[in-house]
Amino acid sequence: QSVLTQPPSVSGAPGQRVSISCAGSSSNIGADYDVHWYQQLPGTAPKLLIYGNSNRPSGVPDRFSGSKSGTSASLAISGLQAEDEADYYCQSYDSSLSGSVFGTGTKVTVL
Amino acid sequence: QITLKESGPTLVKPTQTLTLTCTFSGFSLTTSGVHVGWIRQPPGKALEWLALIYWDDGKRYSTSLRSRLTITKDTSKKQVVLTMTNMDPVDTATYYCAHTGGDWAFDYWGQGTLVTVSS
């Protein structure tokens, strides 16, 4: 099972702001390893949304933002749009596992 | 541009060995700081990181699957191969390969290949 815990689902109306948490521990996020976020639309491969905790790859709207504090990280989506309905995953490196770990995933629903 | 594509069997029997190939273009796996990883996703479940091979042939494996996995690369063919032994129905998943520039952020992904384990 994953060592990064996310809420199973979050929802919001169009235009609203939603936030997804990613809870880790002292061997991953708390050890100052970077957190990355992915968006996975139904039936497609994941897409890198945020890298290095808060950086957006070219082409990702600035409605998406990431932050990290202590042993947790968060992804915020402002101005929620219907096209944002997808699954979102956090990812980090874990020193006790000597490898990468993904979060449990969060389904975002636009009401 | 960078592209990756997975290939291999869609159906394997329990106890068999799975061999998947990732064929890539747009980058070289001999370039410092470039790595390729494998990630899988059982139907309706979360992503699970499996293995990663570094540009210098260093390798990392998931702790829980280490004994069953082998990752290799053929830089001349621009391919990365993942083998997984002793397949079980719980290994049924879509298997992805992905490029990372060294910070473990997977910035380019293949389309994925669904592998079903069934007798």
Side-chain angles (χ1 to χ4, degrees):
Chain A
Q1 61 271 27
S2 177
V3 298
L4 300 180
T5 303
Q6 301 177 231
S9 63
V10 298
S11 61
Q16 282 191 328
R17 181 181 185 275
V18 297
S19 181
I20 301 169
S21 61
C22 174
S25 68
S26 58
S27 62
N28 42 68
I29 299 174
D32 207 27
Y33 291 111
D34 284 342
V35 177
H36 317 299
W37 290 90
Y38 300 86
Q39 177 193 60
Q40 187 176 32
L41 298 171
T44 69
K47 168 191 170 184
L48 182 64
L49 203 60
I50 297 286
Y51 67 94
N53 306 314
S54 59
N55 302 293
R56 286 185 306 276
S58 174
V60 173
D62 59 7
R63 304 185 291 105
F64 295 92
S65 61
S67 63
K68 187 179 91 168
S69 178
T71 58
S72 295
S74 291
L75 172 73
I77 310 173
S78 59
L80 196 63
Q81 299 182 4
E83 66 206 51
D84 299 333
E85 197 160 276
D87 293 324
Y88 293 81
Y89 294 92
C90 59
Q91 179 216 356
S92 187
Y93 181 87
D94 191 285
S95 57
S96 65
L97 300 174
S98 295
S100 184
V101 287
F102 283 93
T104 50
T106 298
K107 181 174 180 59
V108 169
T109 301
V110 182
L111 302 173
Chain B
Q1 81 276 21
I2 291 177
T3 64
L4 304 96
K5 187 173 184 179
E6 307 85 352
S7 60
T10 58
L11 178 66
V12 298
K13 289 180 167 50
T15 76
Q16 286 187 333
T17 294
L18 170 68
T19 299
L20 294 172
T21 300
C22 174
T23 303
F24 58 86
S25 65
F27 67 94
S28 172
L29 205 36
T30 60
T31 301
S32 176
V34 173
H35 319 315
V36 171
W38 284 93
I39 301 101
R40 72 177 179 181
Q41 184 174 37
K45 296 190 177 182
L47 300 168
E48 179 184 17
W49 172 76
L50 300 177
L52 186 119
I53 190 161
Y54 292 92
W55 68 279
D56 61 358
D57 211 35
K59 297 161 189 178
R60 295 287 184 93
Y61 295 102
S62 163
T63 301
S64 61
L65 294 167
R66 178 186 306 272
S67 63
R68 299 173 53 205
L69 294 172
T70 302
I71 189 170
T72 60
K73 64 182 174 74
D74 186 326
T75 53
S76 62
K77 291 184 178 179
K78 286 187 169 284
Q79 291 180 333
V80 173
V81 176
L82 181 75
T83 61
M84 180 180 290
T85 62
N86 194 25
M87 293 292 284
D88 183 273
V90 299
D91 297 313
T92 293
T94 295
Y95 287 75
Y96 297 99
C97 63
H99 166 284
T100 173
D103 57 359
W104 289 78
F106 295 107
D107 49 6
Y108 296 92
W109 294 65
Q111 65 189 24
T113 184
L114 176 61
V115 178
T116 301
V117 184
S118 175
S119 54

